[in-house]
Amino acid sequence: MPTTAIPFLTIGFLILSNVFMTFAWYGHLKFENKPLYLVILASWGIAFFEYCMQVPANRIGYGYFNAAQLKTIQEIITLSVFVIFSVLYLGETIHWKQIVGFAFIALGAFFIFTK
């Protein structure tokens, strides 16, 4: 595989992985009237597809990125996907304090990638 493709494949798989995981973890919040066992089973079913994306992302990306960098990429994508999900799917608003908190996390990511 060409080295130039690795970051794109890694990040692409991580984005897909996080979309699935966000729905697995938080999608059921709109279905409060459903029995807990049902939403647990549905969440596990969705999470299966998350793992089908997460494992290849880490396998492809490791070596090009170190483990700390892979985890940092994953966390930044998680927060980005979650913000979009919470606004569009859950109908929540983002407060300025959350934006500041996310900015501090992004600053931490900067230090992880700085040589």
Side-chain angles (χ1 to χ4, degrees):
M1 167 181 322
T3 307
T4 56
I6 292 173
F8 295 105
L9 287 171
T10 301
I11 291 168
F13 276 125
L14 287 173
I15 290 169
L16 290 172
S17 164
N18 277 281
V19 168
F20 281 113
M21 202 60 192
T22 300
F23 274 97
W25 283 20
Y26 301 103
H28 62 86
L29 296 177
K30 287 188 108 174
F31 302 99
E32 294 178 30
N33 60 339
K34 299 295 181 195
L36 186 57
Y37 77 92
L38 255 176
V39 296
I40 289 171
L41 290 173
S43 292
W44 272 80
I46 296 168
F48 169 78
F49 295 101
E50 185 271 339
Y51 282 101
C52 289
M53 301 293 129
Q54 178 77 9
V55 172
N58 287 329
R59 181 67 65 97
I60 292 167
Y62 187 67
Y64 186 91
F65 300 108
N66 64 40
Q69 290 171 328
L70 279 172
K71 183 62 178 171
T72 303
I73 294 167
Q74 188 270 331
E75 292 301 334
I76 296 298
I77 291 170
T78 296
L79 287 174
S80 302
V81 168
F82 182 77
V83 167
I84 294 166
F85 174 86
S86 65
V87 169
L88 296 180
Y89 183 78
L90 296 177
E92 296 184 358
T93 58
I94 299 300
H95 193 271
W96 71 267
K97 290 180 182 181
Q98 293 165 323
I99 294 169
V100 170
F102 292 159
F104 279 120
I105 293 169
L107 182 62
F110 168 78
F111 287 108
I112 297 291
F113 282 91
T114 302
K115 301 222 181 234

